[in-house]
Amino acid sequence: MSKLSLQILLLLSAILFGAHGAVCPNGFKLINGNKCLRVFTNNLKHLEAETDCSYLGGTLVTIKNAVDNRAITNLAASVGANTVWIGVFCFSTGNTTTCYSDDNSGVLNFKSFAAGNPAVQGNGGCVYMQISGKNAGQWMSAPCEVIGMPFVCEVPLTNPDSSCKRNYNGYCYLPSHELQISAPNATYSQAESICQSNNADLVSIHSKPEVDYIRAMYRNAGAQSIYLGAQAFLPDTFDWVDGSNWDFDNTDPLATIKGDCLAMDLSSRPNNGMWSETNCQNINYFLCKRRIGGAVMASTVMPSPNVISSLEEEEAKPKRVNPRFNLKKHSELLDYSNCNATILMSPGTITSFGYPNTQPPVTFCTWNLAALGPYRIGIYFTDFSTYGNVKIYDENGNLISQPNGDQRPFQVLGATNIVRITHDSSYDAAYNYHGFSAAILPF
Ligand SMILES: *[C@@H]1O[C@H](CO)[C@@H](O)[C@H](O)[C@H]1NC(C)=O
Ligand SMILES: *[C@@H]1O[C@H](CO)[C@@H](O)[C@H](O)[C@H]1NC(C)=O
Ligand SMILES: *[C@@H]1O[C@H](CO)[C@@H](O)[C@H](O)[C@H]1NC(C)=O
């Protein structure tokens, strides 16, 4: 096809798709043409509010400019709220460079704090917006787990499709137990061909909110796990079957089983949703995902994702390659421990100082771990060998756990998005203990 005719086709399809226009999922209101918002007027504590938003595939609202700030104030005022939780979390007082937006966009650009805020006291990193009175539109700090108030959830825009029951972020999700098929479970290759007969592929996953949307879809569905649309083309090296990039990873750091397919855990544990390798011949529930409007796009303009398979393009695309443990081997970087870092945002890795040196140096380390406002912190010790206790504290300074000795891999789950860990390595080398390594993930 010539460049010109391709451009014409692209233009044509842009017009066709533009005519449809993006929409918000049911129950959400399109604000300023760029945000899907819904105000919930029940009084919930911060984490409860975040959890409710996450079931819808969203977070508390993130605010990027004064126009949106004003629109959100008006929206909340129209349903009678005096204050609402918003999607901002601050880790220290009087310093907005320690405030993060729920949407993983990093340190805040736009902010609307009232004088004297953020004022983080005790467990007060959460932020709400004043809706009524002279401070309307201004942001203030409040203790997350003490006060309950209304809140505003935000979910991504999507494309209209009246035939799609689960429409999220421009895709239609088709869980196997809702398809017209004889059994809701199948091998990987059967599952992928059932998806293809529904103009879809097995699901690929690209963000934490998408993980949460899928977790919510399977609450009470009776599936313990589902196949994801990924297959290994080399050991431990996966590719999404729909041709999309490996731009997000949620592998369970403690998974040990090997296989050429990936399954997502949907058991009832609080940190479910993680991925692990599995045998492709296992019989599993599965989830199909199709781009809304994608059938038209594929047949007119873009080669179907499945067709893109020349070696060159394979090389160019990011792949999953042991994502969490391939530490950069710069010779000048002697310490990967993150010992004494001011704040380490998850996902990340910590190790004892000097790890994996079998004669660890004597020192004392503190790790201040944090997740964005919507999440709690999971600590996954993949290797553990210490003489003294490794002390793990919640954000109020209460000791959650204090493992020691030689241990098989294990997890410790935090109660909120802040955890502090301390380790005194004074006797480790003397008694032949080699320290620890842990993956830190939000859940
Ligand atoms: C604010 O926090 C940042 C990052 O932690 C730090 O570099 C900066 O010095 C702090 N500023 C003030 C005024 O405390
Ligand atoms: C497949 O699903 C059916 C219905 O839920 C269940 O009875 C059966 O045990 C499942 N088979 C396997 C191998 O998991
Ligand atoms: C970490 O901080 C503690 C006390 O603040 C200090 O004693 C220790 O030497 C530091 N550790 C390293 C490895 O810098």
Side-chain angles (χ1 to χ4, degrees):
M1 199 185 308
S2 81
K3 237 187 176 151
L4 185 65
S5 60
L6 184 69
Q7 275 172 0
I8 290 169
L9 273 172
L10 278 170
L11 188 69
L12 201 68
S13 73
I15 294 166
L16 286 172
F17 283 96
H20 285 235
V23 295
C24 290
N26 282 341
F28 283 80
K29 198 165 173 182
L30 185 63
I31 299 296
N32 295 338
N34 66 13
K35 280 183 173 301
C36 293
L37 303 183
R38 178 166 174 184
V39 187
F40 291 81
T41 53
N42 44 331
N43 294 326
L44 293 189
K45 291 170 186 163
H46 180 265
L47 194 54
E48 297 167 342
E50 290 279 20
T51 302
D52 275 15
C53 295
S54 79
Y55 285 155
L56 303 164
T59 61
L60 288 171
V61 63
T62 60
I63 308 173
K64 299 296 168 57
N65 58 59
V67 177
D68 288 347
N69 201 61
R70 160 64 47 142
I72 292 157
T73 315
N74 292 341
L75 181 69
S78 71
V79 296
N82 287 321
T83 61
V84 292
W85 290 123
I86 60 174
V88 177
F89 193 97
C90 299
F91 292 96
S92 72
T93 292
N95 190 341
T96 55
T97 67
T98 67
C99 296
Y100 292 81
S101 216
D102 275 7
D103 63 357
N104 203 14
S105 58
V107 171
L108 297 183
N109 278 321
F110 173 78
K111 44 207 169 250
S112 177
F113 284 103
N117 287 276
V120 181
Q121 334 98 349
N123 56 349
C126 294
V127 176
Y128 68 92
M129 183 195 267
Q130 185 69 39
I131 302 303
S132 58
K134 67 175 168 43
N135 290 327
Q138 298 198 327
W139 305 355
M140 298 174 197
S141 301
C144 311
E145 300 312 315
V146 177
I147 297 178
M149 66 175 85
F151 54 100
V152 183
C153 292
E154 173 171 1
V155 298
L157 276 80
T158 192
N159 295 319
D161 182 345
S162 54
S163 71
C164 176
K165 179 174 165 209
R166 300 183 181 276
N167 181 337
Y168 176 69
N169 198 20
Y171 291 87
C172 188
Y173 293 75
L174 307 157
S176 58
H177 61 278
E178 293 177 3
L179 293 173
Q180 304 294 319
I181 47 179
S182 53
N185 42 20
T187 65
Y188 176 86
S189 57
Q190 289 165 347
E192 172 62 8
S193 74
I194 293 169
C195 289
Q196 286 180 346
S197 67
N198 286 278
N199 294 319
D201 276 305
L202 280 167
V203 67
S204 65
I205 302 183
H206 301 278
S207 71
K208 178 73 170 110
E210 187 176 15
V211 167
D212 292 335
Y213 180 75
I214 295 168
R215 291 163 81 193
M217 193 184 299
Y218 281 90
R219 275 189 305 159
N220 311 317
Q224 292 297 301
S225 72
I226 51 168
Y227 270 125
L228 302 180
Q231 254 194 314
F233 59 96
L234 291 170
D236 296 326
T237 306
F238 285 80
D239 210 4
W240 292 122
V241 67
D242 64 8
S244 55
N245 286 344
W246 202 279
D247 49 9
F248 172 78
D249 194 280
N250 204 38
T251 303
D252 184 343
L254 302 187
T256 52
I257 295 173
K258 295 285 173 193
D260 285 344
C261 284
L262 281 187
M264 177 173 177
D265 168 42
L266 292 166
S267 65
S268 57
R269 62 177 179 156
N271 55 335
N272 72 2
M274 289 190 290
W275 313 340
S276 53
E277 294 183 15
T278 190
N279 184 324
C280 304
Q281 296 307 316
N282 287 349
I283 308 286
N284 241 323
Y285 279 62
F286 56 95
L287 175 62
C288 307
K289 174 181 173 181
R290 72 169 160 82
R291 187 191 291 276
I292 291 174
V296 181
M297 286 288 275
S299 60
T300 56
V301 184
M302 297 201 314
S304 148
N306 299 322
V307 178
I308 305 177
S309 63
S310 85
L311 252 180
E312 225 173 74
E313 277 162 306
E314 292 275 343
E315 296 289 302
K317 253 182 292 166
K319 310 285 190 202
R320 169 185 183 272
V321 184
N322 291 334
R324 259 186 270 289
F325 304 109
N326 59 343
L327 297 174
K328 290 188 186 67
K329 291 191 178 62
H330 294 304
S331 52
E332 70 272 22
L333 274 180
L334 296 174
D335 172 40
Y336 314 110
S337 67
N338 284 307
C339 167
N340 290 347
T342 325
I343 303 177
L344 180 70
M345 288 296 288
S346 64
T349 304
I350 64 169
T351 70
S352 53
F353 191 69
Y355 184 92
N357 186 341
T358 49
Q359 290 288 302
V362 171
T363 189
F364 182 86
C365 285
T366 299
W367 293 268
N368 293 302
L369 309 177
L372 295 174
Y375 309 120
R376 291 184 277 168
I377 288 190
I379 304 149
Y380 302 86
F381 289 98
T382 50
D383 182 17
F384 193 94
S385 164
T386 68
Y387 175 83
N389 294 329
V390 170
K391 295 189 175 161
I392 304 172
Y393 300 91
D394 71 12
E395 69 177 290
N396 302 315
N398 302 313
L399 195 58
I400 311 174
S401 177
Q402 45 178 335
N404 66 6
D406 281 311
Q407 302 218 19
R408 301 163 75 98
F410 64 101
Q411 67 178 35
V412 176
L413 300 183
T416 67
N417 66 333
I418 297 178
V419 162
R420 190 162 59 89
I421 300 182
T422 64
H423 173 225
D424 178 348
S425 63
S426 296
Y427 299 100
D428 285 356
Y431 289 95
N432 286 319
Y433 292 93
H434 64 258
F436 66 83
S437 177
I440 312 299
L441 295 180
F443 74 95

